[in-house]
């Protein structure tokens, strides 16, 4: 890959086309999609949070919701 992940994310953020990013980075679309899935998996926590007293769930729009039995567990 000719571009670092940070550079790809910057280019996506400014609206560059995925096809153009792939061409510059030397990636096929399938490789880009694989990179994207891994990047999202790595950055988005899921399930139980440290300490095991709270859980993280995402709504249909991807917005995180933290649930706990009480304020102490939440914080």
């Amino acid at each position: 890959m000719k571009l670092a992940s940070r550079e790809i994310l910057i280019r996506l953020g400014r609206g560059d086309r995925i096809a153009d990013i792939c061409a510059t980075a030397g990636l096929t679309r399938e490789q880009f999609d694989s990179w994207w899935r891994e990047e999202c998996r790595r950055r988005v926590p899921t399930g139980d949070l440290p300490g095991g007293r709270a859980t993280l769930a995402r709504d249909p729009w991807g917005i995180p919701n933290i649930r706990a039995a009480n304020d102490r567990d939440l914080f």
Side-chain angles (χ1 to χ4, degrees):
M1 183 162 55
K2 298 177 187 174
L3 294 176
S5 290
R6 178 172 162 71
E7 182 62 26
I8 294 173
L9 292 170
I10 289 169
R11 290 176 181 224
L12 287 169
R14 71 177 185 216
D16 289 10
R17 293 177 348 120
I18 292 174
D20 295 338
I21 294 170
C22 287
T24 302
L27 298 171
T28 65
R29 179 56 195 252
E30 292 78 23
Q31 290 170 321
F32 175 88
D33 291 345
S34 178
W35 168 84
W36 180 254
R37 281 189 299 277
E38 177 59 23
E39 192 70 19
C40 290
R41 186 203 59 77
R42 191 173 62 81
R43 291 173 177 264
V44 178
T46 58
D48 292 339
L49 298 175
R53 295 186 187 115
T55 59
L56 175 82
R58 294 195 176 269
D59 66 18
W61 300 276
I63 298 170
N65 295 278
I66 301 173
R67 292 193 170 82
N70 56 58
D71 287 347
R72 181 182 173 134
D73 291 347
L74 178 65
F75 292 102

